[in-house]
Amino acid sequence: MTFLNRLFFLLALTSLAACGAKDPAAADEAAAPADGEEEAAVKPRALVTVGSIQTDTLTDVLRLSAVSAYAAKDALRATTTGYMLAPTPVVGQQVRAGQTVFTIQTKESKTLHLDKLTGDPRLKFSGIIPIKSARAGILATVDKLAGDYVQDGEQLGLTYDKSRFGFILDVPVTQLRYVHTGQTCRILLPDGRVLPGRVAEVLATADVSIQTQRYTIRPTGPVPDLPENLAVQVELDKTAPHLARTLPRGAVLTDETQTEFWVMKLLNDSTAVKVPVTVGAQEKDHIEIKQPAFSPKDRILLSGNFGLDDTAAVKVTRPVAAEKE
């Protein structure tokens, strides 16, 4: 083979190799997935738990604010002119009915030292006057101390009558039909304790600015020592207990104004849709669903439902409690 033939042969081999090679740009384009496929591959699915509608016994409850108060206060007053003697009681002290709270020595007795004279049976007046509490209560104020000079009728202190302790309840006039004297109620203290109570009296006054009617609430069981002006919540039953179809409170979503309510319902194993609902009585953990009429087979999102779109991709997981079981 001559040199020219060899040259043509090499050129032919080079052309064949170039034709058989793949275009790098074409290879990259073929390897890249479509835009829709890539978006579908990276789009996350919300992890949710599901449950079904339940039948519970509910009571429509009216919850209002109240303030603790001692309706009756006893003023301890001096019965003569004289000087206060020690010991002086302290604010918050418990006093019994008939207990001596203050002691006064008349100015004549102090001048003549009658309290120190002994041995003369005809001298029966020592000039020491006890001031006693008419009823059991709590000493609210101490206005005079040992050594103070007091006038006849001057106030020495003030006691709260424990037997008249209660709560002042302000009821909006739009809710008056749900409150009546003798009605039982529950008093919710700030520390979580619940006291049984009843509506005792209706006061013949109303607040002009906020249009509320005042009632007094009396505890019907043992009452712990509570201060005056303690803010509490009072629950009154608006309706008798009745059967209702309910969902856990976390399953029901609402807007900022709480005028629209909805739940997220599973269409299939991976898709949830928004379903508007009409709610009824609401308790601490459950909410009554009046409309629509869900069946026990409908799967409602219980958690992971907040912020989901009308049609959302979801992944159902078992609750932690169920996994432990």
Side-chain angles (χ1 to χ4, degrees):
M1 181 180 294
T2 64
F3 175 76
L4 186 59
N5 291 335
R6 290 179 179 178
L7 182 59
F8 283 129
F9 180 72
L10 292 174
L11 290 174
L13 289 177
T14 303
S15 300
L16 291 174
C19 293
K22 293 183 178 179
D23 184 5
D28 293 341
E29 184 177 355
D35 292 341
E37 295 176 355
E38 181 179 2
E39 184 179 357
V42 299
K43 185 176 181 180
R45 291 191 296 170
L47 300 179
V48 299
T49 59
V50 298
S52 58
I53 198 81
Q54 302 292 328
T55 300
D56 294 314
T57 301
L58 292 185
T59 301
D60 199 358
V61 175
L62 176 64
R63 176 177 289 195
L64 299 171
S65 298
V67 177
S68 62
Y70 288 89
K73 301 177 179 66
D74 292 331
L76 301 177
R77 300 184 181 276
T79 57
T80 187
T81 301
Y83 296 90
M84 299 292 298
L85 297 182
T88 303
V90 296
V91 174
Q93 176 179 328
Q94 301 277 346
V95 295
R96 304 181 307 275
Q99 176 183 345
T100 298
V101 182
F102 296 96
T103 306
I104 300 175
Q105 182 181 13
T106 63
K107 61 180 182 178
E108 295 82 7
S109 172
K110 186 176 181 64
T111 302
L112 299 175
H113 303 286
L114 295 181
D115 58 323
K116 297 180 180 179
L117 296 178
T118 57
D120 188 351
R122 295 173 299 176
L123 190 60
K124 299 180 180 180
F125 177 69
S126 64
I128 306 300
I129 309 298
I131 307 300
K132 300 181 179 181
S133 174
R135 283 173 287 273
I138 302 173
L139 196 60
T141 63
V142 175
D143 303 324
K144 298 296 180 180
L145 301 178
D148 290 348
Y149 181 76
V150 296
Q151 298 287 344
D152 186 9
E154 191 172 356
Q155 180 173 304
L156 308 179
L158 198 66
T159 60
Y160 288 145
D161 185 358
K162 293 184 65 175
S163 64
R164 297 294 302 276
F165 175 77
F167 299 87
I168 303 299
L169 177 69
D170 288 321
V171 181
V173 293
T174 56
Q175 307 289 340
L176 289 179
R177 62 184 181 276
Y178 301 119
V179 184
H180 54 84
T181 55
Q183 180 180 1
T184 59
C185 61
R186 296 171 296 279
I187 305 167
L188 311 181
L189 300 183
D191 61 0
R193 287 179 293 177
V194 180
L195 304 178
R198 65 177 180 86
V199 180
E201 302 103 4
V202 54
L203 304 181
T205 57
D207 193 308
V208 177
S209 59
I210 58 177
Q211 289 296 289
T212 58
Q213 173 75 57
R214 284 197 161 182
Y215 290 79
T216 57
I217 304 294
R218 304 284 185 205
T220 56
V223 182
D225 292 333
L226 297 175
E228 196 172 29
N229 297 323
L230 177 67
V232 300
Q233 296 288 317
V234 175
E235 288 186 346
L236 302 106
D237 294 338
K238 296 169 62 176
T239 62
H242 61 281
L243 292 178
R245 303 176 72 81
T246 65
L247 283 173
R249 180 172 289 273
V252 183
L253 305 173
T254 184
D255 57 1
E256 294 180 354
T257 59
Q258 295 188 357
T259 55
E260 296 182 2
F261 298 87
W262 67 89
V263 299
M264 300 299 294
K265 173 184 172 183
L266 279 183
L267 283 182
N268 50 48
D269 292 337
S270 60
T271 305
V273 295
K274 178 179 177 181
V275 179
V277 298
T278 302
V279 301
Q282 300 187 30
E283 290 193 347
K284 181 179 180 181
D285 300 322
H286 293 82
I287 297 179
E288 179 183 3
I289 305 299
K290 292 186 174 181
Q291 295 293 335
F294 292 111
S295 72
K297 295 182 179 180
D298 291 329
R299 293 183 294 173
I300 309 298
L301 271 59
L302 304 182
S303 64
N305 51 356
F306 183 77
L308 294 183
D309 297 331
D310 188 3
T311 302
V314 297
K315 182 179 180 181
V316 179
T317 61
R318 291 191 302 169
V320 176
E323 293 179 356
K324 291 181 179 180
E325 292 175 359

